[in-house]
Amino acid sequence: MGLTDADLVHLARALTLARSVRGMTTPNPNVGCVLVRDGRVLAEGATRPEGGPHAEAVALAACADPAGATAYVTLEPCAHHGRTPPCADALVAAGVRRVVVASGDPAPWVNGGGLERLRLAGIVVDVLALEHPLAIAARQGNAPFRTSILLGRPHVTYKAAMSLDGRTATASGDSQWISSPASRQLVHRWRAEMGAVLVGVGTAIADDVTLTARDRDQPLARQPLRAVVDRDARVPLDGRLVRSVAQGPVLLLVGERADVARRGLLERAGVETAVAVSPQEVLVALAARGVQDVLFEGGARLAGMMLAAAVIDRLALFIAPLIVGDPSAPGIFGGGVTPARVADAIAAAGLEATSSGPDILLDAWITIPA
């Protein structure tokens, strides 16, 4: 059957529920579910943290009588036994009449199996077309999960703050602060949602970073893995990053020839080290630690390497109402991709602009998740 305006309203609500648990459900996707009958919302649910019930089970548990209802879900109901029973079976057993799905599940242990199980049970199943805005939003909302499944690496968002003329610092290297307090607070919230924050050693030393997620200088409850690409293990032992290791794990990604004694000192200070230098190696190392999404906050040189390796999936650019004016001041990419023609430049697949205090946030998706 065709989708109505009411169907889309309920799916949009399910997406809001899914977004509300972003970063809390890894390694599972974040999913929202709304149960509706005769135009009345019966119950809602969102996926609980790892090991807890999925969105459909949460909504069903909150509904006294789901028989004959329509379930609106942001992701295809699972059809396998993991830590929880299959959601498709739960919907069948509850007597749900219809299921409206925003996006399919690419995991090989689902991948259409949930939809098939529902249809075999006589349930009407409607799935949004891939190009529908809500379907795109659903896939974007689970980009970390989908990228991990389909590409075997974390999803990478490159965050940078720049002036109106595209400069991330002055020629002397001063960059504090280009973006506004509102923008910086938003970045801290993102850090708390991510599996890892990644920078290069140049940024780590120049800015004496901690990379923690904070609210008005107080650490948030959830902290990301803090990762630094540091070929020669140069991160200072007395720097804020190492001294804050009790606030959250720190991983140093070093070269094979990094000084063994130096690595030992860092490890005794609580820093984990691993050999990984190229962008691909770095992401493999992070994936091995269960990381599905990375907030990359590195400088232009490392950003150029990441761009050339085609591992930047999304750009989050804060444009401040400032003009640096110096052509020698750094931009966001230090080489990496050098097209001879504009026609050969990398084109964003999606772009949205919103206000962030006095700044403008450009949210540019290089690739829309499949």
Side-chain angles (χ1 to χ4, degrees):
M1 61 185 295
L3 295 180
T4 65
D5 289 343
D7 289 331
L8 298 181
V9 168
H10 295 313
L11 267 183
R13 172 58 186 167
L15 282 168
T16 298
L17 292 169
R19 282 193 292 268
S20 73
V21 293
R22 168 113 168 76
M24 300 166 56
T25 64
T26 307
N28 294 327
N30 56 76
V31 181
C33 176
V34 179
L35 295 175
V36 178
R37 186 176 58 223
D38 298 328
R40 184 169 68 91
V41 174
L42 304 177
E44 300 178 337
T47 303
R48 297 284 171 79
E50 181 182 3
H54 296 179
E56 299 92 328
V58 173
L60 289 171
C63 185
D65 178 22
T70 295
Y72 297 88
V73 291
T74 56
L75 185 72
E76 173 184 358
C78 63
H80 67 292
H81 283 272
R83 294 190 180 185
T84 59
C87 291
D89 288 355
L91 291 168
V92 171
V96 168
R97 178 182 62 85
R98 178 179 175 230
V99 177
V100 183
V101 180
S103 63
D105 187 334
W109 50 86
V110 182
N111 197 22
L115 302 180
E116 181 181 13
R117 188 168 300 184
L118 295 171
R119 289 179 174 129
L120 287 175
I123 294 175
V124 176
V125 177
D126 290 307
V127 182
L128 284 180
L130 286 175
E131 66 276 8
H132 193 284
L134 291 181
I136 293 173
R139 298 200 304 278
Q140 289 174 327
N142 267 317
F145 171 75
R146 305 183 82 90
T147 303
S148 177
I149 291 293
L150 296 172
L151 300 181
R153 64 163 176 82
H155 185 268
V156 177
T157 298
Y158 176 29
K159 185 278 299 181
M162 56 193 289
S163 62
L164 289 172
D165 53 338
R167 304 301 173 183
T168 59
T170 64
S172 67
D174 178 52
S175 63
Q176 296 186 350
W177 295 101
I178 288 180
S179 59
S180 67
S183 297
R184 298 197 297 276
Q185 193 56 50
L186 177 58
V187 171
H188 281 287
R189 194 178 79 200
W190 290 348
R191 287 180 180 178
E193 295 175 349
M194 295 283 182
V197 176
L198 176 68
V199 299
V201 66
T203 297
I205 293 175
D207 295 343
D208 193 18
V209 298
T210 61
L211 303 179
T212 51
R214 304 182 297 278
D215 182 9
R216 297 178 180 84
D217 292 330
Q218 296 303 309
L220 296 174
R222 187 181 186 277
Q223 292 293 329
L225 171 66
R226 295 172 288 163
V228 181
V229 180
D230 185 5
R231 181 186 299 270
D232 299 315
R234 295 192 293 122
V235 164
L237 285 161
D238 60 351
R240 292 198 302 164
L241 183 67
V242 176
R243 287 190 286 109
S244 66
V245 73
Q247 297 181 31
V250 177
L251 172 65
L252 214 61
L253 301 156
V254 303
E256 292 181 352
R257 298 182 180 181
D259 185 82
V260 175
R262 177 74 178 169
R263 287 181 65 179
L265 289 172
L266 286 161
E267 288 171 354
R268 282 193 289 276
V271 175
E272 181 186 2
T273 69
V275 175
V277 176
S278 74
Q280 294 89 342
E281 292 170 342
V282 166
L283 293 182
V284 167
L286 293 175
R289 287 156 177 79
V291 173
Q292 287 188 347
D293 49 356
V294 174
L295 184 62
F296 170 50
E297 301 186 34
R301 180 176 176 276
L302 183 56
M305 294 171 60
M306 300 278 282
L307 186 67
V311 295
I312 294 178
D313 303 294
R314 182 183 185 185
L315 299 178
L317 304 179
F318 292 94
I319 314 299
L322 304 170
I323 297 174
V324 173
D326 186 343
S328 65
I332 63 171
F333 291 110
V337 176
T338 55
R341 304 181 306 156
V342 171
D344 298 326
I346 297 172
L351 179 65
E352 182 180 357
T354 56
S355 296
S356 178
D359 306 331
I360 297 295
L361 170 59
L362 294 181
D363 186 3
W365 290 77
I366 303 303
T367 56
I368 300 296

